[in-house]
Amino acid sequence: MRWTRAALLASTLSILVTTGCAAGPSDRPAVAIERPHAGIVDTSTAPTDTPPPAPEVPKTDLAWHDCTVPTFNLLGLGTPPNGLILECAEYSTQVDISGAVGGNFRTAAMRARYDRTPKDVAPLVLTSGSDRASTATLASLAAGPSGSLLAARPIVAIDRRGIGSSQPVSCLTNELRRTLADQAQFTHGTADPVDAVAKASQDATIACLDFLSPAQGTFDAAHAADDIDQLRKQWQVDHIALMGTGSGATVAMSYARKYGDHLGRLVLDSPQAVGLDSIGRAEQRVKGAEAALTAFAQKCAALNCSLGGDPRAAVTDLVNRAGSGAFGDLSAAALVTTLNGFLGDPRNLGNPEITEFAAALSALGRGDQAAITPIVLRETSAVANDGEYVNRCSDNHEPATAGRAKELANQWGAKYQVFGKVAAIDLMACSAWPTPTSTALPDKLDRPVLVIGGEADPVAGVDSRPSVTGALGKAGARTATVVWQGWGHPTFAHSGCAQQSVTDYLKDAKLPQDGTACPA
């Protein structure tokens, strides 16, 4: 692999960058038991099996150093809460544990705790996959009211290869990055954006596979699971507690398949659906984003925000105008990415931030881009980087054809007016990447697994939990689902009720009642 100093410098500005807003946390207790999943054991009345082994306190830890203030400054998180400690470290992982590809990789980790967090409690390992840097997810959680979870035990986030603070990937030209990010909106002489993005995918695939050779096949969820297990070995423990959020849940399930005997606890937060092709997964995300936008619009209207009496219609108009080139270099795709980042950010921001974002959108409608520009730069750089592209394409099973994407651009554009067309065109971003083998699910897992999620998730989408619990049940795992009735991603960052369920489960492996509902 040709990892260069230039590649390292190229990714510096994208490390941990993420910001936005979501509904505030709810600390109220669960108020209802929704429909339990068919075929899943009711854990409140079922006889208890032998409890799983408890996660263990590391015997040999990483070389942590304090990075609280630099991280908050980089992310624009403001002043750290009293007593919060963020610590950063790196550790070495094998590029390929099978030995087919030699060499090592530099993997980044971040630990969050309070000065009052017990030191003799096993940490919770967190991965948010390729949705955003795991360390950024953790820092954003720590900036808000993290409640019982962070106070009860440390949380350690691990960035995927090429994302966040892990060893960077820099394989795309500026022109390719722009074409993919803006969906060729400003490419002269190109009639159809689907064809243009498909062509950019071919060029990007050639460039990245050449840059990564011979390790081009080591950026999938299975290798990300290997990196997590290397941390377990560094800690010299037999069992860990693992949480995967969004696409990180796919990494966590890969870990469960490969290293299930080393799992003491497993939490899947807002997991992606299993058993769907790229079109099915994309439509679920679009449905989640549209639902989250509706919830935001209702809140915005209740606050008499500057978007007027129908904020959703105002946002739809802005996206349409961006698509017609009304805002200069601000493309419809970049604006949609900004909206999605705002709706799905891990941080809990309140009414002032909602009205501030609405004001920036209103100013854009008047032709003033001063307020929205830094937000666009933040959100696009958080997800539109080379490492995210490589990881996302490495997990992109069953890609769509250009013909089908063109059909969906029209269908989804009419059905899902804000996010649909952009999502359909984006199906082509990884279309040229070698089709990976479908992620292998656990075939035997004798562990209780907690699955949580929200009703309006713009990152993982909707209706995904039943497919996940069904797959886990088939492998022999007992599962229980907690559903948050709010909008945002991931669930545990926004709901105090969901956090309490996670905290209780991590302590004694006891699952809550399946179908427990947490109010927004």
Side-chain angles (χ1 to χ4, degrees), residues 107-368:
T107 300
M110 175 185 287
R111 180 171 66 184
R113 60 187 176 90
Y114 290 122
D115 53 9
R116 63 183 182 276
T117 302
K119 296 181 180 180
D120 58 348
V121 178
L124 170 65
V125 178
L126 169 69
T127 173
S128 53
S130 59
D131 296 328
R132 68 178 75 230
S134 301
T135 49
T137 297
L138 178 56
S140 298
L141 164 72
S146 51
S148 59
L149 186 56
L150 192 57
R153 68 184 62 242
I155 302 177
V156 175
I158 303 176
D159 283 334
R160 278 186 74 161
R161 301 179 178 190
I163 296 180
S165 297
S166 285
Q167 189 166 324
V169 171
S170 182
C171 57
L172 302 178
T173 64
N174 289 333
E175 181 180 358
L176 281 172
R177 292 187 191 101
R178 178 68 186 270
T179 300
L180 291 169
D182 292 331
Q183 298 189 337
Q185 182 171 326
F186 307 113
T187 302
H188 300 294
T190 301
D192 193 297
V194 170
D195 292 334
V197 173
K199 176 59 169 62
S201 176
Q202 294 175 359
D203 295 340
T205 297
I206 292 171
C208 288
L209 294 185
D210 178 66
F211 176 82
L212 297 170
S213 181
Q216 62 269 31
T218 65
F219 285 80
D220 57 4
H223 284 82
D226 294 338
D227 294 345
I228 292 174
D229 199 58
Q230 181 58 44
L231 177 61
R232 180 192 65 80
K233 293 176 181 177
Q234 294 256 142
W235 280 344
Q236 297 185 30
V237 298
D238 290 328
H239 304 96
I240 62 172
L242 177 61
M243 172 187 280
T245 68
S247 67
T250 304
V251 176
M253 285 192 286
S254 292
Y255 188 93
R257 178 179 175 86
K258 299 183 74 173
Y259 307 105
D261 289 343
H262 294 299
L263 274 174
R265 307 286 186 272
L266 177 60
V267 182
L268 304 179
D269 184 335
S270 311
Q272 293 183 139
V274 300
L276 291 181
D277 60 12
S278 62
I279 293 174
R281 292 192 300 272
E283 186 168 19
Q284 285 197 323
R285 289 193 297 270
V286 168
K287 289 179 179 178
E290 293 282 347
L293 178 61
T294 296
F296 160 77
Q298 292 170 347
K299 181 66 173 179
C300 198
L303 294 171
N304 294 317
C305 71
S306 59
L307 289 172
D310 191 348
R312 203 183 200 291
V315 170
T316 303
D317 178 65
L318 290 174
V319 172
N320 289 336
R321 290 169 63 187
S324 66
F327 303 131
D329 289 342
L330 178 59
S331 66
L335 183 55
V336 165
T337 297
T338 302
L339 290 167
N340 212 310
F342 177 87
L343 296 170
D345 191 271
R347 285 197 294 169
N348 285 299
L349 302 181
N351 294 345
E353 289 76 21
I354 292 176
T355 55
E356 181 181 357
F357 184 67
L361 292 173
S362 298
L364 173 64
R366 300 190 300 270
D368 181 2

Side-chain angles (χ1 to χ4, degrees), residues 397-455:
H397 313 298
E398 301 180 66
T401 64
R404 184 60 176 141
K406 290 177 183 179
E407 294 175 357
L408 292 173
N410 293 323
Q411 295 173 12
W412 288 0
K415 187 176 182 180
Y416 311 115
Q417 296 182 354
V418 174
F419 298 95
K421 184 176 182 179
V422 168
I425 298 171
D426 191 57
L427 289 169
M428 290 293 97
C430 295
S431 58
W433 198 269
T435 303
T437 303
S438 297
T439 301
L441 298 171
D443 54 3
K444 183 179 181 181
L445 185 64
D446 184 19
R447 296 285 189 272
V449 181
L450 178 61
V451 181
I452 62 178
E455 293 185 341

